[in-house]
Amino acid sequence: MGRSAGTPWDARNRIEGAAEVTASNAQSAQSGKAWYVVVTHAHQERHARYQLEQQGFNVYLPLVPPPARARVRNGQAPSPRPMIPRYLFIEMDLDQDRWRAVFSTMGVTEVIMRGTGETARPCPIPSRFITETKAREVNGLVVLQRARNDNEKAAARACRYKRGDKIRLTGPTADYDLVFDEMVDGDRAAVVFTLLGRDSRQIISLPSEN
């Protein structure tokens, strides 16, 4: 089934073809529950999550805060966005759950698989990815960088980066390799990071020099 067009940033940056998901260190699909990757139609992440939850599945859709410059429209504040457009995560036991029902769920286009033909099965991802992502949540939203700094120090840091430079963002449970894109305002910059084969553009406070 063909993929629908994503956001303008996705069209510019996404890696062609299906996302490659590594199963190393993941819980075996043959023994108990594990996490799997579901791909949805464009802008249908919440709808797909609802439909899957109605079937009794445990679903995780990581959300990030809306852009700081997002405007209020029709009296409504901007809503949080999916951290990885069109991707959500589902916990299943392939020996117990009716996992094939996921394919026919409204809003879902595919499940990341491994194998071919009749032997193909959903490909598990390391549970550590889910744990580390949830550890970065603040009030239900994933925050890549919480600290902010004064503008004078921020300006000095900004001079050290140019588009395409790599930045290492460290945290209590997870590290991320980011690519600097541009300054947004003050000490905040637009960066790109890649998860599960898909590029995602986020706004963060620049890391300190230490």
Side-chain angles (χ1 to χ4, degrees), residues 164-175:
D165 283 351
K166 292 184 178 180
I167 302 174
R168 185 71 168 175
L169 181 65
T170 60
T173 62
D175 295 341

Side-chain angles (χ1 to χ4, degrees), residues 110-129:
E110 63 179 295
V111 178
I112 300 298
M113 307 285 285
R114 65 179 174 185
T116 58
E118 296 182 356
T119 63
R121 292 170 69 87
C123 179
I125 64 171
S127 60
R128 180 172 176 265
F129 170 78

Side-chain angles (χ1 to χ4, degrees), residues 22 33 35 44 47 58 79 95 101 106 123 127 150 172 178 186 190:
T22 300
K33 290 186 177 294
W35 286 95
Q44 292 292 305
H47 182 59
N58 181 26
S79 59
D95 292 329
M106 293 181 63
C123 179
S127 60
D150 62 74
L178 313 175

